[in-house]
Amino acid sequence: MVVALIVSVSACGFRLRGTQQLPESINQVYIASQFAHMPMQRALEQRLSVYQLQNVTQTQAQQDPRTVTIYLQPEELERRLLSVFATGQVAEYELIFSIPYTVQFADQEAIASRIEVLREYQDDPDEVLAKSRELDLVLTEMRNEAADRMIRLLSSQYQSQITFN
C-alpha cells in the first residue's frame, strides 16, 4: 500500500518544495553589484556552494559563455509600524528586506526580478545595545533567505527563458 502511494506520487512529478534541481548547464555564477563587497553579495557567494555552484570572477565569466550572471541592485530595508507601547514608543516593527536583481543567462534576455523577505521585530527601548545586535542578526538571516530564494529561482527563470525563446 505504501509502496503504491509513493510510486503514484513520484510518477505524477511531485517533488518536495525546495528540492527542484538546477539544470546541469547552470554550474557557474558571476555576481555583479554596484558596490564592492555589498552584504547581499557576500551572502549570495556563501550560499552558492550549498547548491554546488561555482562563484567565478568577471574574467572567468567572460571566457565561459555558459556562466549565469546575477546583477544585484542596492538592497532596501523598510520598517512598518505594527504596535506601540502605552507611552507612545514603538513596540514592534515589520521589517521588509527587498533586493532587486537581474539574471542573465547565456545568449538570453535579462530577467529583472525582486525578492522580499518579511520579519516581525520587537523593539525594547531599555535594551538598545542588545536590540541593535539582534537587528544585525535578523538582517543577516534575511539576506541568507533572500540568497537561497534567488538561487532556487534560477531553475524556473531558466525554464521560462527556454519556453519563450
Side-chain angles (χ1 to χ4, degrees):
M1 176 86 169
V2 173
V3 174
L5 178 64
I6 292 172
V7 169
S8 64
V9 168
S10 64
C12 75
F14 174 79
R15 289 190 184 151
L16 290 175
R17 184 176 175 200
T19 61
Q20 186 174 13
Q21 297 293 317
L22 291 171
E24 288 182 21
S25 61
I26 299 176
N27 58 12
Q28 292 183 343
V29 177
Y30 169 63
I31 303 166
S33 65
Q34 291 179 329
F35 306 107
H37 309 295
M38 173 175 163
M40 184 63 208
Q41 182 177 354
R42 286 194 309 267
L44 191 55
E45 289 170 351
Q46 291 171 351
R47 302 303 296 161
L48 287 176
S49 64
V50 173
Y51 295 90
Q52 286 88 36
L53 297 173
Q54 180 183 3
N55 183 28
V56 296
T57 64
Q58 184 176 11
T59 308
Q60 292 170 319
Q62 291 170 345
Q63 292 172 354
D64 189 348
R66 298 172 300 155
T67 301
V68 176
T69 303
I70 299 175
Y71 300 97
L72 298 175
Q73 303 301 317
E75 58 190 44
E76 302 164 8
L77 181 65
E78 182 182 337
R79 294 181 190 206
R80 195 174 300 158
L81 180 65
L82 292 180
S83 64
V84 293
F85 292 115
T87 61
Q89 291 180 316
V90 177
E92 190 175 26
Y93 289 106
E94 179 178 51
L95 298 175
I96 304 162
F97 175 84
S98 60
I99 180 84
Y101 69 100
T102 305
V103 175
Q104 178 75 53
F105 295 99
D107 301 324
Q108 305 290 331
E109 288 187 32
I111 303 169
S113 193
R114 175 184 209 86
I115 291 180
E116 285 189 354
V117 179
L118 307 174
R119 290 287 187 279
E120 289 184 10
Y121 176 73
Q122 295 181 348
D123 200 8
D124 185 354
D126 295 331
E127 297 181 21
V128 175
L129 288 176
K131 285 298 180 175
S132 174
R133 178 67 180 137
E134 181 183 349
L135 180 60
D136 288 343
L137 291 172
V138 169
L139 285 174
T140 300
E141 178 184 299
M142 293 171 85
R143 285 186 188 104
N144 287 338
E145 183 177 331
D148 283 337
R149 282 193 207 172
M150 201 176 290
I151 294 169
R152 287 193 309 260
L153 284 172
L154 286 178
S155 180
S156 62
Q157 290 167 334
Y158 179 76
Q159 294 301 325
S160 71
Q161 284 291 310
I162 292 173
T163 304
F164 292 121
N165 290 329

